[in-house]
Amino acid sequence: MNLDATRTVRDIAVEHPNATRLFEKLGIDYCCGGGKSLADACSAARLSTDDVLKSLAEAVAPAADASADWAQGELADLAHHIVNKHHNYVRNELPRLDQLMAKVASVHGQRHPELLDMQNDLRGLGQELMTHMMKEEHILFPYIAEMEATVRSGRRVRPPMFGTVKNPVQMMIMEHDAAGDSLRRMREASDGFTAPADACISFQTLYRALLEFEADLHQHIHLENNILFPRAIEMEAASQ
C-alpha cells in the first residue's frame, strides 16, 4: 500500500477508489484540485497530515476496497458507467433541486438573501452541465470507445475531426472547473450547506440534496479528469 504525503491527492484517489469517500468527508478536493500533494491539501484544509494518512490506511485496507478498478478496465466501460451512474443522476436530480430551491428561496429569501445567489448559481450550473454532458455523450465518449476498439484490433486510429483527443478533453476539464467553482460559491454562501436554525423541512431537504449532488459530481469529475481522460490521451499517443 503506497500512501505517502508527497503523492498527489489525484494519484491516491486513482489507486485507491475508497479514498475518495474519506476525501469527501474531510473536504479535500480530489477532482479539480487533485494535483496538490496530500501534505499541501491537508495544510490547506487545516488537517493533520499524520491523522489523514492514518485514516487513509484504514479506508483503503484490502477488505474495504471493493470499488471497481477503473484504472485498469476498458475505457468504453468506464464511459458507459459515467453516463449511466453520474449523467443520469444529474439529469434526474437537477429538476428536483431547481424546484426545491425555488420553493425555499420564495419563502426564506428575504431573511436569507444568499438563497437568491445560490438559485442563480444552481440554474447556471444546470444549464452548463446539460450541454457539457451532451458533448461528452455524442462526441467525446464515442470517439474514445471507437479509438479503443481500433487500437485493440491492431488497426490505425483515424484522425478525429477535432485533431486530437486532447482538444475536447481540455475543454471538458475547463467546464469541470467552472462547475466546481459554482458549487464552491454555493457551499461558501450556505456555510457548507448548513441549514440555519429557522430552516423548515424543505430548507433542510434542499441542503441535504445539495450535499449529495456535490459528492456525486466530485466522483463524476474524478473519474473523468483523473482516469478516463489521461488514459485516452495516453492511448492516442501510443497509437501514433
Side-chain angles (χ1 to χ4, degrees), residues 16-86:
H16 304 287
N18 270 10
T20 61
R21 299 177 184 176
L22 178 65
F23 290 151
E24 201 73 51
K25 179 181 177 181
L26 297 178
I28 292 176
D29 184 359
Y30 60 89
C31 51
C32 297
K36 292 181 180 178
S37 70
L38 179 63
D40 287 344
C42 289
S43 177
R46 298 182 180 180
L47 298 169
S48 163
T49 303
D50 289 341
D51 288 346
V52 171
L53 281 170
K54 182 179 178 181
S55 297
L56 271 173
E58 296 172 357
V60 306
D65 200 350
S67 301
D69 186 4
W70 295 117
Q72 301 297 327
E74 299 277 335
L75 297 185
D77 289 344
L78 175 52
H80 183 72
H81 168 78
I82 290 168
V83 171
N84 281 352
K85 180 174 175 61
H86 299 292

Side-chain angles (χ1 to χ4, degrees), residues 12 29 37 140 198 213 217:
I12 293 172
D29 184 359
S37 70
L140 181 55
D198 62 342
F213 188 85
L217 193 62

Side-chain angles (χ1 to χ4, degrees), residues 7 21 27 29 74 78 108 114 131 155 176 211:
R7 298 188 70 200
R21 299 177 184 176
D29 184 359
E74 299 277 335
L78 175 52
H108 297 274
E114 69 275 6
T131 302
R155 292 178 286 124
H176 288 165
L211 273 171

Side-chain angles (χ1 to χ4, degrees), residues 58-210:
E58 296 172 357
V60 306
D65 200 350
S67 301
D69 186 4
W70 295 117
Q72 301 297 327
E74 299 277 335
L75 297 185
D77 289 344
L78 175 52
H80 183 72
H81 168 78
I82 290 168
V83 171
N84 281 352
K85 180 174 175 61
H86 299 292
H87 286 198
N88 287 342
Y89 172 83
V90 169
R91 287 194 174 95
N92 290 330
E93 194 66 7
L94 275 175
R96 172 176 175 250
L97 284 173
D98 188 61
Q99 291 174 3
L100 267 173
M101 182 66 84
K103 178 180 179 180
V104 173
S106 68
V107 175
H108 297 274
Q110 189 170 6
R111 292 193 304 278
H112 298 282
E114 69 275 6
L115 287 167
L116 303 179
D117 291 332
M118 292 173 66
Q119 185 176 32
N120 287 333
D121 273 325
L122 180 63
R123 286 176 176 168
L125 174 63
Q127 292 169 358
E128 290 168 3
L129 284 176
M130 294 301 290
T131 302
H132 174 89
M133 294 187 302
M134 288 286 288
K135 287 186 285 189
E136 288 184 335
E137 292 172 18
H138 292 281
I139 300 173
L140 181 55
F141 289 0
Y143 172 73
I144 290 174
E146 179 186 342
M147 175 179 67
E148 181 177 50
T150 301
V151 168
R152 294 196 184 284
S153 70
R155 292 178 286 124
R156 185 182 179 87
V157 176
R158 67 173 180 84
M161 61 181 178
F162 37 75
T164 168
V165 74
K166 292 179 182 179
N167 291 331
V169 161
Q170 184 178 20
M171 179 60 67
M172 295 303 99
I173 290 175
M174 289 174 59
E175 292 176 3
H176 288 165
D177 289 345
D181 289 342
S182 295
L183 279 171
R184 274 189 290 275
R185 286 194 298 271
M186 287 190 279
R187 170 174 275 279
E188 290 170 2
S190 61
D191 190 23
F193 301 119
T194 302
D198 62 342
C200 64
I201 295 297
S202 293
F203 203 150
Q204 296 173 35
T205 300
L206 170 66
Y207 276 13
R208 283 196 299 269
L210 284 170

